[in-house]
Amino acid sequence: MSYARILLPMDGSEHARLALRHAVNLARCCGAGHIVLMHSFGEIPALIGGEAREELVRECTQEAEALLAEPRALLDELGVPNSVRIVDGAPGRAVVRVCEEEGCDTIVMGSRGLGELGGMIMGSVTHQVLHLAKVPVLVVR
């Protein structure tokens, strides 16, 4: 099993920070693996258009960049090659889409606590990724 490109969805939760540690360990044990940090800021309603949409995307992107700044700095400090993807869309589907676009061979993500009906044991986003991903998914809790 290769861990050359690891997708690491980050939402700012404690579970995501724990997943970061596991992703770093996987990258190191398999020789300078590349970690793709990603954040999805959700879907923007179709009713919002024009300049209002552009402004909302700009604000969401800035918030996501701030959220990813600390994990990215840590990866840089540790010498782990990395890149960042900030996308819109439903988070579960966005994770799977970015995984495919980036050619990642595994996803490392945090588990969430109790949530909606589909996520009684783990978060609904994690639950959706587990069902849609075509690569191995490591769920950290």
Side-chain angles (χ1 to χ4, degrees):
M1 174 47 105
S2 168
Y3 297 105
R5 285 184 77 75
I6 299 167
L7 181 63
L8 180 62
M10 298 294 293
D11 62 2
S13 69
E14 182 60 31
H15 290 279
R17 284 192 274 290
L18 292 172
L20 172 63
R21 286 195 288 181
H22 284 276
V24 167
N25 288 337
L26 279 177
R28 284 181 161 173
C29 83
C30 301
H34 184 98
I35 295 177
V36 179
L37 291 168
M38 77 150 290
H39 178 77
S40 172
F41 54 78
E43 294 183 277
I44 297 175
L47 295 174
I48 300 174
E51 290 180 28
R53 182 180 198 82
E54 290 175 18
E55 179 61 27
L56 184 56
V57 168
R58 200 169 17 259
E59 288 175 12
C60 290
T61 300
Q62 288 174 346
E63 289 175 14
E65 288 170 346
L67 181 132
L68 296 175
E70 185 179 325
R72 185 150 204 208
L74 177 65
L75 293 175
D76 289 342
E77 182 181 316
L78 295 172
V80 177
N82 65 84
S83 57
V84 167
R85 286 287 304 273
I86 299 170
V87 298
D88 65 347
R93 292 190 183 281
V95 168
V96 174
R97 184 182 78 236
V98 170
C99 181
E100 292 172 359
E101 291 172 357
E102 291 287 332
C104 294
D105 45 43
T106 193
I107 300 169
V108 177
M109 64 188 301
S111 168
R112 298 286 295 227
L114 295 177
E116 299 174 22
L117 183 60
M120 291 294 284
I121 297 172
M122 65 189 72
S124 58
V125 172
T126 304
H127 191 262
Q128 188 173 32
V129 170
L130 283 168
H131 285 282
L132 296 175
K134 296 175 182 159
V135 300
V137 179
L138 173 61
V139 179
V140 179
R141 58 183 181 140

